[in-house]
Amino acid sequence: MDDQILVINCGSSSVKIAVFDSQGTALVSALAERLGQRGARLVPDQTQPVTLPENANHQEALSASIHWLQESGYLNGQPSAIGHRVVHGGETFQEAALLDDDAIRAIEACADLAPLHNPVNLEGIQAARELFPEVPQVAVFDTAFHQTLPRHAWLYALPRRFYEDYGVRRYGFHGTSHHYMAEEAARRLGKPLEQTSIISAHLGNGCSITAIRNGLSVDTSMGLTPLEGLVMGTRSGDIDPGLFEFMAVKGVPAEETHRILNRESGLLGISGQTSDMRNLVSAAREGNEHCRDAFEVFCFRLARYIGAMMVSLDQLDALVFTGGIGENSTHVRARTLEHLTLPGFLIDPEANENHGSQLDGHIEAASSRFPVLVIPTREEAMIAREARALVQVHANPRTNRH
Ligand code: ADP
């Protein structure tokens, strides 16, 4: 029987699952959505949606989805390992971890740093342990790749006790995706990872940017939580922290401002109508001023952060775009780089239009000082690979992982 890896990515109202074969190829991926609501369903990438039990919670959805994977022949009985995406690993986890009771306790201990994410990630872990008690399970953390940030990049200018007593510091997220960008860019550029330096822009519903020097993360835009940094679909990114007091005086309590910064800001907040870049760009092109504003603020702030990331590098092998927006939005890439002619970024309009598909991802003009690449992210494949590697090391401790 082929040895397969199951990947589980539990979000607040959805679960992504995928099965990978021993070559690292995805056999299927599927999204269980509308959890806890009417019309819960599983949407596989290759077949029609499947109805899930009404109001299914994460555990019920996961169990029904895994059952479907087995019945449809995508999963042969038990996988040989299960990889879970876990958002926050605090300072405890510098890399992926085998999920024993101690590791689970440590993830629980990080829950106050990611109250929206870690508890739901843990639900997925518990459900998978109950379904497959014999199968080794691995946690792959969004924060782990950024544990190499130098102190000056992660320390906030706050009283020391904020860090010492509460762990308030910059952690960074989307690490699995940024790590993959570094590896894939190095491969495409024909350089060893340890000698490759890139700026990686992950632009999905959440957006973050990372400076990677010689294969290691050295600066990143998200901080204590995923709210800091770039403008996102519904998150504000950087904001004057004085806003909390200002709004409190106006009668809006801090919790409400916090909710608005997470859920009603960003592209949605400025446009007043959509967090979806596709709709935003078409409305802006039809003359909608608010959508135009949202697009312009998004691209300007992204460009400003690309400039800021250069501070942490002594060479730049490529600027890399990924995520739903980074991979698909010709307009965002073009407008952003228009702000960056001084450092010398220039893109080729035709290559950009084709997302670099005929050029191994390259969209820069011949006269650009730096290569610019479009690389589709493969977070689930990375999680599967890390899970497989870790399980192999534990099965045979003499094998060197790398
Ligand atoms: P998530 O962070 O939830 O994984 P994605 O990486 O799928 O999200 O990115 C979602 C974003 O990508 C949305 O803003 C969506 O509008 C945008 N997007 C997807 N396809 C396109 C496209 N063809 N052109 C522009 N934006 C796109």
Side-chain angles (χ1 to χ4, degrees):
M1 190 164 53
D2 187 29
D3 97 280
Q4 299 179 315
I5 308 286
L6 176 67
V7 172
I8 299 176
N9 178 352
C10 265
S12 54
S13 62
S14 65
V15 180
K16 273 191 209 164
I17 51 171
V19 180
F20 289 83
D21 68 13
S22 53
Q23 306 304 309
T25 306
L27 302 174
V28 66
S29 77
L31 179 73
E33 60 178 15
R34 304 180 192 155
L35 303 186
Q37 302 167 33
R38 298 193 57 199
R41 60 182 194 163
L42 180 69
V43 187
D45 55 353
Q46 300 157 11
T47 55
Q48 291 302 311
V50 181
T51 306
L52 291 172
E54 202 57 20
N55 299 319
N57 63 22
H58 283 74
Q59 185 171 4
E60 289 158 349
L62 203 53
S63 147
S65 303
I66 288 171
H67 190 64
W68 178 83
L69 288 177
Q70 290 169 325
E71 279 207 321
S72 318
Y74 291 115
L75 184 63
N76 305 322
Q78 296 205 351
S80 51
I82 301 177
H84 294 269
R85 175 189 179 212
V86 177
V87 168
H88 218 308
E91 289 183 328
T92 315
F93 296 100
Q94 322 271 324
E95 53 185 26
L98 205 60
L99 281 162
D100 53 19
D101 291 342
D102 284 349
I104 289 179
R105 268 193 294 276
I107 295 170
E108 281 165 355
C110 297
D112 67 331
L113 290 168
L116 300 176
H117 297 104
N118 275 27
V120 67
N121 298 156
L122 281 162
E123 270 185 51
I125 291 168
Q126 295 300 8
R129 282 182 118 198
E130 279 166 32
L131 287 166
F132 296 114
E134 309 292 322
V135 176
Q137 317 232 1
V138 171
V140 179
F141 300 91
D142 265 34
T143 48
F145 181 60
H146 301 300
Q147 282 292 301
T148 51
L149 250 58
R151 205 171 164 79
H152 61 247
W154 63 252
L155 205 54
Y156 283 119
L158 292 168
R160 299 198 77 90
R161 63 179 186 281
F162 277 52
Y163 169 59
E164 286 160 7
D165 297 351
Y166 306 116
V168 173
R169 52 159 282 181
R170 311 188 63 257
Y171 291 95
F173 299 87
H174 288 146
T176 308
S177 177
H178 291 299
H179 189 183
Y180 175 72
M181 286 308 119
E183 289 192 355
E184 184 58 18
R187 192 188 68 74
R188 292 184 189 203
L189 296 165
K191 294 187 77 172
L193 178 63
E194 317 74 61
Q195 290 168 26
T196 303
S197 295
I198 66 164
I199 294 174
S200 160
H202 177 111
L203 311 173
N205 283 310
C207 300
S208 72
I209 187 163
T210 295
I212 298 169
R213 188 168 65 206
N214 299 329
L216 302 178
S217 174
V218 287
D219 192 12
T220 193
S221 58
M222 284 177 168
L224 173 70
T225 74
L227 187 54
E228 190 177 336
L230 299 173
V231 174
M232 313 183 205
T234 64
R235 296 186 204 130
S236 61
D238 293 342
I239 202 84
D240 184 337
L243 178 73
F244 284 90
E245 173 62 14
F246 183 87
M247 292 308 292
V249 171
K250 306 276 178 208
V252 182
E255 310 83 73
E256 176 63 359
T257 301
H258 182 248
R259 189 190 65 75
I260 293 170
L261 292 181
N262 271 293
R263 301 205 187 276
E264 293 179 6
S265 299
L267 298 177
L268 176 64
I270 305 177
S271 71
Q273 51 180 282
T274 182
S275 64
D276 188 307
M277 188 56 86
R278 274 166 297 204
N279 302 339
L280 196 81
V281 167
S282 49
R285 287 166 79 80
E286 284 161 15
N288 183 308
E289 294 282 326
H290 295 178
C291 289
R292 180 91 218 152
D293 278 347
F295 175 79
E296 289 294 336
V297 175
F298 182 93
C299 295
F300 171 72
R301 292 265 295 271
L302 174 58
R304 185 207 260 170
Y305 255 103
I306 292 170
M309 289 295 132
M310 296 183 84
V311 170
S312 293
L313 303 179
D314 48 14
Q315 65 177 55
L316 179 62
D317 296 301
L319 166 65
V320 183
F321 286 100
T322 195
I325 297 173
E327 291 165 35
N328 299 302
S329 184
T330 309
H331 300 286
V332 166
R333 294 189 303 255
R335 183 71 185 121
T336 303
L337 294 191
E338 277 173 18
H339 292 293
L340 288 161
T341 49
L342 180 61
F345 291 97
L346 280 178
I347 52 176
D348 180 280
E350 198 183 321
N352 186 36
E353 194 70 46
N354 300 324
H355 315 299
S357 53
Q358 278 122 46
L359 299 160
D360 210 18
H362 283 267
I363 60 166
E364 75 277 9
S367 53
S368 181
R369 189 168 160 216
F370 306 106
V372 181
L373 290 170
V374 177
I375 299 180
T377 192
R378 297 189 66 212
E379 285 169 289
E380 272 82 23
M382 276 297 266
I383 294 173
R385 200 186 76 188
E386 299 235 344
R388 181 184 297 283
L390 197 59
V391 166
Q392 277 168 356
V393 169
H394 279 264
N396 180 7
R398 282 162 193 263
T399 320
N400 186 337
R401 244 183 109 180
H402 301 288

